Amino acid sequence: MSEQAEDVDGRFWDGEDGSEASQRCRSLVNALDDGITVVDAAGEVTFANERAEDLLGRPHEALVSADDARWTLVDEAGERLGSGEFPFDRVRARQIPISDQIVGLRRLSGACTWLSVNGAPQWNENDEFDGAVFVFEDVTDQRDAETEVEEILGRVTDAFYALDEEFRFTHVNNRAEELLQASEEELLGEVLWELYPEAAEIDDVWDAFQAAMETQEPQSYELYFDPLEFWVEATIYPSETGVSVYFQDVTERKEREQYLEAAKTQLEAATEAGAVGTWEWYISEDSFVTGASFARTFGVDPEAAREGIPLDRVLSSVHEDDRDRVAAEIENVVENCGTYEAEYRVWNADDELRWVVARGHVECDEDGTPERFPGALTDITERKRAELQVEKQSRELATLFQVLPVGAVVANADGSLRRANDTARDIWGGDVFDAESVQEYEKYTAVWSDSGEPVGPEDWTMYQVLQGEEVTEPNVYEIDTFDGEHRIIMEHGKPVRDEYGNVSRAVVTLTDITERREYQRKLKESNERLEQFAYAASHDLQEPLRMVTSYLQLLERRYSDVFDDDGQEFLEFAVDGAERMREMIDALLEYSRVDTRGDPFEPVDLDAVLEDVQEDLTVRIEESDADIATDDLPRVNGDPSQLRQLFQNLLSNAIEYRGEEPPQIDVSAERAGEHWVLSVRDEGVGIDREDAERIFEVFQRLHTHEEHPGTGIGLALCQRIVERHGGEIWVESEPGEGATFSFTLPVARAE
């Protein structure tokens, strides 16, 4: 439709040339269900079809492209559109088409019409911007349906009970007590069928429980249960020790469905005159007689349809997946002289797939022989599409909520808890989210993790969110769960606001960080022990090492002329070994102090850090004739001295393991969300894939000291520095193909 609008000259829209083709085009455009407007380069509306005038609520002459006193344009969140956000402004600024921009026309009365807007620019003969064409569709009903589904889903609260293999009650939650009209004390240990013998007499109920136990597959049923006087919807989940039953009182929903079904029947009966058409099938003659509208819809010659066509000709238009069902239903109603109603899909004359509802009844003679089958067919495509879309979104929302890897709890504006997923129940040790107000939050026992102070009802994240706060810096609590466990949890929260900006509900996520905290505690203890060991090793070994070195140097000064060549070589080995041991002790001490002796994080300019490192390595760079190319490096949050050590170790390695050619080294940076990925690439000897992880371990060397000197701690120190900064480090390499060491660092908060 938008392509038509782009290709038609502005005069053709207005019918200025008076031609018959122009008038036909105008009539066609006015007959469309979508609104169409043409706007010139100055923003003035030069054409609007009748549907556009209806949707915008005024005649063509009163239309303007800017805001209007009678209504306000708002975005999907209900906020007034700002400068540059109007559809025309977007097309004019970008000069490219826009699609599916959702805008609302909020009128002075408060009512809002929602439109899905598509637009495309137009050009004059000089390829200059000459205005735009817009096509918009009323999507108010779809948005209202989505909102209604979310509200219905949120009001659902499941009751739960568990049975053992003998169908004895082993657990009952509060909602189940209420619906079963019995306390937990009255139910526990009792057999379901003895307490509710009427249930055993209902085939759907008995068969569902038996099938669940025998097949170990979930079973469901929905029915009206007379003893308790409500409609129940239940799902049975089997296990090796019994079954778990989740059920709801769906009386309100069923009454609503019955009301909607009655309303739908009345509405469709009232609009029967607007149906696709009516038919009369003379059964014994197999003569299917229809009106012209019905015939044209399905590509049947109207003259032939008035005379009568075989039923198979009509059934051939039914979608192949529905055809057998429709034929069987027709056969059944003919055999029983009954009333017919069916929904199914059909292909129309334009090969478009449409949904229809067919209604009719079979008339029989005194002997019960079917003679005549009159009926009517109504197109329900738009309604059906909306229903299917709502069903799909409902399923997606429900599935997403349940499979979230974190706990999630939703509350109403008054503080009553309306919904929680399985993860949240697991964290708190049961289906315990039944508080009706903030005051009832007292039953959730917890203390603040950092201070140990008790958490009151108004200290919970949920209460803060209900006050309109967005909790992005998490609250951390130590909780006593309802199944006797002690856990540490982290909570975030966000309010959900209505179109007026008021908090309509609150969502809080829970993460169990008990194991993480325990790991952090053990890691801290391990680091402290490592530092103590390294300090002791440094302190206790340095002194005897200095003595060994001093005596070796004394031997060299006093008796060097006495030693033969072998003696001189042995002495050099001993001095070199002592020096290497000193370097290793110093490196080990530095490795152990990365976490405990580092400086606080601050914004760091990595260009300046790399410049200092290259200056420190000037001699090695010149001796090796190294060529170092660098991108513009970013600012990050980190410890300046440790980041300098990180780059120095990586550049030193790239120079050391250069191979036979002068080193070619590239330093680059790439943004990845809230982190930077920094890489140091060389063209040296490379590393075998099997050694890619081992090289980051302490004292793990791939070459002898004679081939390449070093302590064997350099890359382990790099990994420890990167991990302290919340990142990770890795290598990509092949032997003889060089190596690329990459690591991540957080983006500086100032950016």
Side-chain angles (χ1 to χ4, degrees):
M1 191 175 299
S2 61
E3 293 177 358
Q4 288 178 326
E6 288 180 54
D7 293 339
V8 179
D9 186 272
R11 293 175 303 161
F12 209 55
W13 290 102
D14 295 333
E16 293 178 0
D17 62 357
S19 68
E20 181 181 351
S22 171
Q23 294 301 325
R24 284 200 303 269
C25 180
R26 187 180 185 88
S27 298
L28 173 62
V29 172
N30 280 326
L32 297 175
D33 288 337
D34 295 337
I36 298 178
T37 59
V38 180
V39 183
D40 64 19
E44 295 296 327
V45 176
T46 61
F47 173 82
N49 71 349
E50 293 174 359
R51 180 57 173 160
E53 294 178 346
D54 290 342
L55 291 175
L56 299 177
R58 54 234 155 105
H60 171 207
E61 292 74 13
L63 292 173
V64 292
S65 61
D67 201 359
D68 186 88
R70 285 170 293 181
W71 45 254
T72 301
L73 279 178
V74 298
D75 60 20
E76 288 191 84
E79 300 293 333
R80 185 186 182 99
L81 289 183
S83 177
E85 295 177 349
F86 287 79
F88 177 75
D89 295 337
R90 292 180 61 200
V91 173
R92 178 170 55 187
R94 301 182 182 180
Q95 298 195 2
I96 59 174
I98 63 170
S99 62
D100 295 328
Q101 180 183 1
I102 304 298
V103 298
L105 276 68
R106 187 175 302 286
R107 307 183 191 279
L108 293 179
S109 64
C112 188
T113 299
W114 293 96
L115 304 176
S116 175
V117 182
N118 295 270
Q122 288 189 307
W123 317 94
N124 61 20
E125 61 275 8
N126 297 322
D127 290 333
E128 298 171 335
F129 179 72
D130 196 33
V133 176
F134 294 96
V135 180
F136 44 94
E137 176 186 3
D138 185 347
V139 294
T140 306
D141 290 344
Q142 291 93 315
R143 285 181 62 91
D144 291 345
E146 292 170 3
T147 302
E148 181 180 3
V149 169
E150 289 185 1
E151 292 299 322
I152 292 174
L153 285 175
R155 289 195 294 270
V156 174
T157 302
D158 284 354
F160 166 79
Y161 63 85
L163 306 173
D164 64 16
E165 293 177 314
E166 303 299 324
F167 297 103
R168 292 187 295 261
F169 285 93
T170 60
H171 178 78
V172 184
N173 74 350
N174 293 339
R175 180 60 173 158
E177 288 179 299
E178 178 182 345
L179 294 181
L180 295 175
Q181 301 175 14
S183 67
E184 186 176 33
E185 291 74 19
E186 295 172 322
L187 295 171
L188 292 182
E190 299 295 328
V191 177
L192 170 67
W193 312 119
E194 295 177 358
L195 289 180
Y196 302 96
E198 300 89 346
E201 297 173 4
I202 302 174
D203 291 342
D204 288 347
V205 177
W206 177 265
D207 292 344
F209 276 86
Q210 298 301 321
M213 293 291 285
E214 292 172 6
T215 67
Q216 289 295 294
E217 294 289 336
Q219 306 291 325
S220 299
Y221 63 85
E222 181 180 295
L223 50 84
Y224 185 82
F225 192 51
D226 280 319
L228 300 179
E229 299 182 342
F230 66 81
W231 277 89
V232 62
E233 180 186 77
T235 302
I236 307 164
Y237 296 95
S239 68
E240 295 180 356
T241 59
V243 296
S244 300
V245 182
Y246 291 84
F247 67 106
Q248 306 172 49
D249 178 353
V250 294
T251 304
E252 181 180 348
R253 192 196 75 198
K254 293 296 293 186
E255 291 174 349
R256 177 181 175 83
E257 289 175 351
Q258 291 169 356
Y259 171 81
L260 291 177
E261 184 63 26
K264 183 187 79 171
T265 302
Q266 294 172 6
L267 177 62
E268 290 173 344
T271 58
E272 194 67 36
V276 171
T278 60
W279 79 78
E280 285 187 279
W281 181 35
Y282 297 94
I283 300 171
S284 61
E285 304 169 13
D286 191 17
S287 177
F288 195 91
V289 179
T290 74
S293 175
F294 191 111
R296 283 193 294 269
T297 299
F298 297 105
V300 177
D301 177 42
E303 190 66 31
R306 278 194 293 269
E307 295 295 327
I309 59 176
L311 177 63
D312 285 346
R313 172 63 184 84
V314 180
L315 289 178
S316 66
S317 296
V318 177
H319 189 281
E320 49 272 19
D321 292 341
D322 297 339
R323 193 174 299 151
D324 290 343
R325 172 176 60 84
V326 171
E329 290 172 345
I330 292 174
E331 182 179 351
N332 180 65
V333 75
V334 169
E335 289 179 358
N336 294 282
C337 294
T339 300
Y340 176 74
E341 180 174 345
E343 288 186 6
Y344 50 88
R345 294 163 292 175
V346 298
W347 297 102
N348 67 13
D350 296 325
D351 285 333
E352 294 176 338
L353 189 62
R354 310 293 293 179
W355 277 93
V356 297
V357 59
R359 293 188 181 89
H361 65 278
V362 175
E363 299 176 355
C364 297
D365 61 17
E366 295 179 355
D367 298 327
T369 302
E371 294 182 332
R372 182 170 167 269
F373 186 174
L377 194 72
T378 303
D379 189 319
I380 59 169
T381 302
E382 299 308 319
R383 189 198 77 195
K384 196 66 179 181
R385 286 174 178 170
E387 290 176 356
L388 294 174
Q389 183 64 21
V390 168
E391 290 176 6
K392 177 183 177 183
Q393 291 177 349
S394 299
R395 290 193 301 270
E396 290 175 347
L397 286 171
T399 301
L400 176 62
F401 188 77
Q402 287 300 334
V403 302
L404 285 173
V406 297
V409 182
V410 182
N412 295 312
D414 61 2
S416 58
L417 302 181
R418 61 190 288 173
R419 199 168 181 211
N421 67 358
D422 291 341
T423 305
R425 296 187 184 99
D426 291 342
I427 290 175
W428 272 99
D431 190 7
V432 298
F433 299 99
D434 53 356
E436 295 296 331
S437 67
V438 171
Q439 286 68 34
E440 293 188 25
Y441 294 178
E442 290 180 347
K443 70 178 182 179
Y444 305 106
T445 306
V447 298
W448 289 97
S449 180
D450 55 354
S451 66
E453 294 293 323
V455 175
E458 296 183 358
D459 292 331
W460 287 105
T461 306
M462 184 64 77
Y463 178 81
Q464 298 171 17
V465 175
L466 289 169
Q467 307 312 305
E469 298 181 37
E470 185 172 341
V471 181
T472 55
E473 290 295 328
N475 292 324
V476 181
Y477 311 113
E478 295 186 20
I479 67 172
D480 292 323
T481 68
F482 287 77
D483 57 357
E485 297 291 331
H486 185 80
R487 293 190 174 96
I488 303 174
I489 63 171
M490 176 175 66
E491 291 189 347
H492 297 77
K494 186 173 183 179
V496 178
R497 300 182 184 275
D498 60 23
E499 58 183 349
Y500 303 107
N502 301 318
V503 176
S504 61
R505 54 187 178 274
V507 179
V508 169
T509 60
L510 308 80
T511 305
D512 185 347
I513 60 171
T514 309
E515 293 184 1
R516 185 193 309 176
R517 282 296 180 92
E518 179 64 18
Y519 171 77
Q520 291 172 346
R521 183 187 64 78
K522 292 181 179 179
L523 181 61
K524 181 179 179 181
E525 292 177 355
S526 176
N527 288 337
E528 290 173 351
R529 289 196 297 270
L530 175 62
E531 183 178 359
Q532 292 170 0
F533 165 75
Y535 178 79
S538 174
H539 182 272
D540 295 344
L541 294 178
Q542 288 285 12
E543 185 59 34
L545 187 59
R546 278 194 294 270
M547 182 179 67
V548 171
T549 303
S550 297
Y551 277 106
L552 288 174
Q553 292 172 345
L554 187 62
L555 282 172
E556 187 176 26
R557 286 197 303 271
R558 291 187 179 182
Y559 303 106
S560 59
D561 55 345
V562 176
F563 293 144
D564 58 13
D565 290 343
D566 287 342
Q568 285 288 352
E569 184 178 8
F570 297 157
L571 184 59
E572 289 174 2
F573 286 157
V575 171
D576 181 61
E579 179 62 23
R580 281 195 287 125
M581 181 174 290
R582 183 189 64 77
E583 292 175 355
M584 292 174 67
I585 292 171
D586 290 342
L588 184 61
L589 184 60
E590 183 179 14
Y591 175 81
S592 70
R593 291 178 171 176
V594 168
D595 288 317
T596 59
R597 301 295 179 90
D599 294 330
F601 284 9
E602 61 184 64
V604 179
D605 184 351
L606 293 184
D607 278 327
V609 169
L610 188 59
E611 185 177 340
D612 290 343
V613 169
Q614 291 185 82
E615 185 175 341
D616 292 342
L617 297 175
T618 298
V619 174
R620 295 193 62 188
I621 292 173
E622 292 178 351
E623 288 178 347
S624 62
D625 196 20
D627 180 18
I628 302 177
T630 66
D631 289 349
D632 290 333
L633 302 185
R635 291 168 61 83
V636 299
N637 279 329
D639 180 333
S641 61
Q642 289 186 352
L643 293 178
R644 182 171 177 168
Q645 182 70 62
L646 172 62
F647 275 101
Q648 182 167 320
N649 285 5
L650 293 178
L651 288 179
S652 295
N653 277 2
I655 294 172
E656 177 66 32
Y657 297 97
R658 60 184 177 271
E660 298 180 359
E661 299 295 328
Q664 299 291 322
I665 304 170
D666 290 305
V667 182
S668 61
E670 181 179 354
R671 180 74 177 261
E674 293 304 312
H675 288 77
W676 286 100
V677 179
L678 287 302
S679 299
V680 177
R681 182 176 63 84
D682 63 58
E683 299 179 0
V685 297
I687 301 168
D688 195 300
R689 289 185 180 181
E690 296 179 356
D691 298 319
E693 294 185 9
R694 186 165 67 89
I695 59 173
F696 293 105
E697 298 176 8
V698 177
F699 300 137
Q700 293 296 316
R701 296 173 52 84
L702 305 183
H703 305 274
T704 65
H705 188 268
E706 287 72 20
E707 293 176 317
H708 296 284
T711 62
I713 298 180
L715 288 176
L717 180 61
C718 289
Q719 184 180 51
R720 197 166 175 82
I721 291 173
V722 170
E723 288 177 348
R724 186 198 170 206
H725 285 73
E728 57 179 330
I729 185 170
W730 66 94
V731 63
E732 297 173 351
S733 180
E734 293 286 349
E737 300 294 333
T740 300
F741 285 85
S742 300
F743 56 92
T744 58
L745 294 175
V747 174
R749 285 186 293 271
E751 294 194 14

